[in-house]
Amino acid sequence: MSQQFGIMVMIDVKSALKTRNLRDHAYLIDNMKDFGSQNEGTNALISKVSGTYWANGNQAGEEVMNWLAIDINDMPQTVQKPSYYTYFRAKTIENFLKKHLTNVSRSEQGDTNTNDTDDRQLDIKVSQQGFNSILEQLQDITNVAEGGLKTNTDSTKNIESDWPLVSLTGQLESGDIKVIQEENNYINLPPVITNITGEAVDLGIIYPAEYGSPNFITRGWYWCATVNTAKAGKYRYTMHITLFDLVIKDDQISWKPVQLTLDSHILISKDAMRNGFTGAGDSYLPIY
Amino acid sequence: MNYVNIKALVDVVAVLSNDQLDGNMYLFDTNKLQGSTKEGTSNLESAVQKNDQVLWSTYGLEVESYVKICDITVDETYLTKPKAEYYEGTNIQYWTSRVLKTPETTIPYSIQFEVGDTTTLFATKKGPSIKPVNR
């Protein structure tokens, strides 16, 4: 039977952005401590995964790992965000490219009113010339690197936001933006894991992928991997994480994507799985 | 005024399995660059100075598990008595306090938690503390 393991990547986003150093401002915790995970709450977590085997030694099932990147400064994940808040977040991150494409396509058709808030109607009927123009602009913001599409951190374009900042207690801010920034009373856009690479992936130990979730509370996305528990050993993997830095120019807010990486380890053992659901405390699973 | 945000991440299943909070609760704050130490442990030392606004909130390692801060006890020479408030439209709390005086040394405080459906209140034997910011 597969088991779900969770790894929380707690990030002090503002400090990581200030120093451009994720490693010193990230702390990892998983729910496998009782199974033998080491260095919980540090940047050197080693997640222990016990293999599951039949009596003849064959692998009995894969384990499943899940990663969530969380800003320490953000509200608890359990807070159901007010509708305006969810809308604000969705608009600025998940609909970013869509909005960008819409405005470009409208201007291609001679529509100068590209500030129309009803930008969810994406009109893709653009000329070949227009399409090339869209591609050029997208290429400036992103670049296709090995392993997929990456945010281009050298881009001069930032993610624009027409919405006010949100305070640490979830209120829309209405005061002086510079004072809010000085006092640290705002929440950055949430960190996003954009890829998982490295030794554990190259060797076929973990098979990570990003999944969409219908649950708004989880902000719609999470990374998950099945683990090949047949290969015991310690393996390194690298998380590629995009943080969003607040940029204030002429009292306008925008967010600059900054891509950083963080290494972690997985330790696969041939220890027997333990069962905490028998009512008899921790005990070993029966092997048939 | 500067905001110092403190998060308590609780491994609820481990607390209930082991009947103790020590080693199963992780505290983090946003002031490491100002001198906070012991991040990711249950005895976090948060660097603060006079007039800083401190916020505490908590959640479980697995979001479906229940954990709540039910009291924070501080030395009221340095911090105002922490007050519980609610995120708008929710029954989820955050606690706030203002720093009255910059601590000269490390001053401990205590956080009590309700965990799962037990009636026991959990606190760490050696709790977190506040300390002066780096000069």
Side-chain angles (χ1 to χ4, degrees), chain A residues 63-78:
Chain A
E63 305 304 332
V64 178
M65 299 179 79
N66 299 280
W67 290 265
L68 280 177
I70 293 169
D71 181 2
I72 292 168
N73 219 22
D74 204 346
M75 292 185 282
Q77 304 304 296
T78 42

Side-chain angles (χ1 to χ4, degrees), chain A residues 8 10 12 24 27 29-31 33 40-41 70 72-76 78-79 168-169 171 183-185, chain B residues 1-3 5 7 9 23-24 26 28-30 32-33 39-40 55 59-62 87-88 92 94:
Chain A
M8 282 215 181
M10 304 292 293
D12 181 355
D24 287 347
Y27 315 92
I29 301 103
D30 70 22
N31 59 352
K33 186 178 177 186
E40 298 280 352
I70 293 169
I72 292 168
N73 219 22
D74 204 346
M75 292 185 282
T78 42
V79 173
L168 300 183
T169 55
Q171 303 297 314
E183 292 184 345
N184 174 35
N185 189 15
Chain B
M1 185 175 70
N2 182 48
Y3 282 84
N5 206 343
K7 281 284 178 308
L9 181 66
N24 299 316
Y26 309 90
F28 311 92
D29 75 12
T30 50
K32 186 178 177 183
L33 290 178
E39 299 276 353
L55 273 83
Y59 41 90
L61 180 55
E62 287 146 330
Y87 291 103
E88 189 178 307
I92 298 168
Y94 60 90

Side-chain angles (χ1 to χ4, degrees), chain A residues 166-207:
Chain A
V166 176
S167 78
L168 300 183
T169 55
Q171 303 297 314
L172 289 180
E173 297 276 21
S174 56
D176 185 328
I177 298 170
K178 291 204 168 109
V179 173
I180 293 164
Q181 189 182 31
E182 274 170 26
E183 292 184 345
N184 174 35
N185 189 15
Y186 67 96
I187 300 172
N188 288 59
L189 293 187
V192 179
I193 299 175
T194 55
N195 206 356
I196 295 178
T197 61
E199 181 189 39
V201 180
D202 297 341
L203 295 177
I205 308 301
I206 60 174
Y207 294 85

